Amino acid sequence: MRQSRAGLSGGVWAIEVKVELKGYLSRYAPPAAVNGRFSLEVLPGSTVKNVLEKVHLSEKYVGLVLINGQKARILDRLHQDDTVTIFPVVAGG
């Protein structure tokens, strides 16, 4: 398992996850993101909710979450090299 310390203080190890923000949620991606895709360092034991908080994205805009292509919940824990895909709420009629 590859871990790094970059960006985190106090000697705490971090894990890296890949994040994909779909549709209009891509506006919450950092400037260096490509098509809403970017890597993010989080603390071990972090959840999808922690990712949302880190990119300043409210849960109310989230319609579907996938971790490595499998349906997931906001409080599911993340692991090194996971890919988190977040789809917006879809409304219409």
Side-chain angles (χ1 to χ4, degrees):
M1 178 192 310
R2 192 185 89 220
Q3 294 182 332
S4 70
R5 292 179 192 230
L8 297 176
S9 61
V12 177
W13 290 92
I15 61 170
E16 185 174 291
V17 296
K18 294 167 204 68
V19 181
E20 298 178 0
L21 299 177
K22 300 295 191 177
Y24 67 83
L25 297 182
S26 65
R27 75 178 84 168
Y28 292 94
V34 177
N35 295 323
R37 295 179 180 152
F38 57 97
S39 292
L40 190 64
E41 288 190 338
V42 295
L43 294 171
S46 289
T47 64
V48 174
K49 182 174 182 166
N50 298 128
V51 168
L52 297 176
E53 291 167 351
K54 201 158 188 175
V55 298
H56 308 289
L57 174 57
S58 173
E59 288 180 49
K60 70 181 178 181
Y61 299 119
V62 175
L64 174 67
V65 176
L66 304 177
I67 298 175
N68 302 323
Q70 301 294 314
K71 189 173 179 183
R73 297 176 310 233
I74 297 290
L75 295 178
D76 284 348
R77 295 196 184 277
L78 301 171
H79 302 91
Q80 177 68 30
D81 295 324
D82 277 349
T83 297
V84 181
T85 307
I86 302 172
F87 293 87
V89 171
V90 178

